[in-house]
Amino acid sequence: MNGLIGAVLFLILAPIAGGLIAGIDRKITARMQGRVGPPLLQPFYDVGKLFEKENVVVTTAQNFYVLAYLVFIALSGALFFAGGDLLLIIFAFTLAHVFLVLGAYAVHSPYSHIGAERELIQVMAYEPMIILAAVGLYMVGGSFYVADIAAATVPAILYLPGVFLGFAVILTIKLRKSPFDISTSHHAHQEIVKGITTEFSGSTLGQVEIAHWYENIFLLGFVYLFFSWNPVIGVAAVAVTYVAEIFVDNVTARVRWQAALKSGWLAAAVLGLVNLAILSYMTIGGA
Amino acid sequence: MSTMAFLKRSPWILHYDASSCNGCDIEVLACLTPLYDVERFGIINTGNPKHADILLITGGINSQNRPVVRNLYEQMPEPKVVVAIGACAATGGIFRECYNIAGGVDKVIPVDVYVPGCAARPEQIIDGVVKALGILEEKREKMTGKAEIKEGARHAAEAGEGT
Ligand code: SF4
C-alpha cells in the first residue's frame, strides 16, 4: 500500500519538482557565469511552449519511441519510489534509453544518428557503475528492495564511499552535464546541432524534457539511498551533490567520447570494485 | 484551446548569417553575453531550425545561400517569425549593387520585423525580438483559431456522414 502511494506521488510530483530543480539549476548556472538568468519557472514555460507549437514529425515511429521513453522512465522512477527491486528498476531505466536511441535512429539525419551513437556510448559508460551501486547497497542493506535499503539503520555511505564517488561521476553523465554531456547538452545548442534531440520538435521534444525531469528526480532519489539512515542528512547530501554537479558543469569543458567512456569505466573499476572488494573482505573477516 | 501564452515567455532563436559583413552577427551574439543576457527573457540561441521560433537573419542573401535560407525557414515549425537585422538584411545595404546579392531578406522569405542600423545595436536587436514576440503571439492565436475551424468542419462532416 505504502509502495502504491509512493509511486503515485512520484508520478504526480516528480515533474513539478524536476521542473523546479531545472529552474534553480539554470538560475545558479547563470549566477556562476555572472548573468541574471531566466525566471525560476522558465523550464515550465519552455515545455508549455513546445506543446503549443506545430508538431513536425519526420516519421511517426519517432513519436512512439519517445512516448515509450517517457513511459519507461516514469515507470522505473515509480518502481523506485514504490520501494521495488533495484535490479528491475535499472533494467526498466536502461530500456527507456534504448527507446530514446531508437527514436533518434528512426530518422535519416546524420545529426540525430551521431547523437544516438553517443547516447549508446553514454549508456555503456554508466551502466557498470549503476549496477555496482546496486550491488553495494545490497551488500550493506542485505536486500535489493529499495524499501528495505531505505529502512536500513546503517549509514550506507560509510561502507560505500568509493561507490558513492563513482556514482557521482556517472551522475554527471546522466544529468547531461559537462564534461560528459556528449549526446545532448543543456548549453551547447549548436554543437553537432543538438545531438540526440535534433529531429524532435514541438510536443515530442516536450516529452523528452518531461522524461528528463522524471529521470533527475529518480537519480536524486538514488543518491538519497546512500544517506537514508538519517533523512535530514540525506536531503542535505542530495542538495550538496546537485550543486556540486552544477559547479562541475560550469568549470569543465566537454571531453571526447573516448574520455567519457574511460571515465565511466574507471570510476566503476577503481572506485566501485575496490570499494566492494574491501567491503566483502571486511564482512567475510567479520563473519 | 489553450489560452495560456507560453510562447511569448520562451522564444528560441535561430541565428543565420546570410552573407553579412559579420558586424551585425557580432552584435547578435553580444546579446547573449552577461551584459545583455537575453536568457532573462527565456531566449535561447538554438542552432536547430526545428527547435526555433524566431529566425534572426543578417545580410542581404547571396545566390549561394538563397536555397539555404528558404530551407531553414521551411524547417521551422509554426508559429514562427523572421527578424531581419541591419541595413543589409533590410535592403542589401552597402552590398546592394553587387551582382550576387538578392537585396534584402524579404526577397526570399517573408519578414516580420526589420531592425535598422549598420551595425544594429544589441539594444535595438532585443527591441526587435520583443516586437516579434507580439507578432508571434498573434500568429499563434490565428493558428489555434484555424485548427479549431478545421476541427469544427471535420466534426460537421462526420455528423453529416452519420445521418
Ligand atoms: S548592416 Fe552593416 S554591420 Fe550589418 S551586416 Fe550589413 S554592412 Fe555589416
Side-chain angles (χ1 to χ4, degrees), chain A residues 238-277:
Chain A
V238 168
V240 170
T241 310
Y242 197 79
V243 173
E245 291 288 348
I246 298 175
F247 181 71
V248 168
D249 186 29
N250 277 294
V251 296
T252 53
R254 185 169 309 107
V255 296
R256 280 192 279 174
W257 65 265
Q258 292 92 333
L261 196 57
K262 271 184 207 146
S263 312
W265 285 359
L266 213 64
V270 177
L271 294 165
L273 276 182
V274 169
N275 190 164
L276 292 188

Side-chain angles (χ1 to χ4, degrees), chain B residues 81-101:
Chain B
V81 287
V82 177
V83 181
I85 290 170
C88 291
T91 63
I94 54 163
F95 303 114
R96 190 182 173 79
E97 309 288 307
C98 292
Y99 65 92
N100 61 338
I101 288 289

Side-chain angles (χ1 to χ4, degrees), chain B residues 60-73:
Chain B
I61 305 192
N62 61 29
S63 3
Q64 295 257 5
N65 54 35
R66 205 183 258 261
V68 178
V69 169
R70 201 170 293 131
N71 190 344
L72 285 176
Y73 180 76

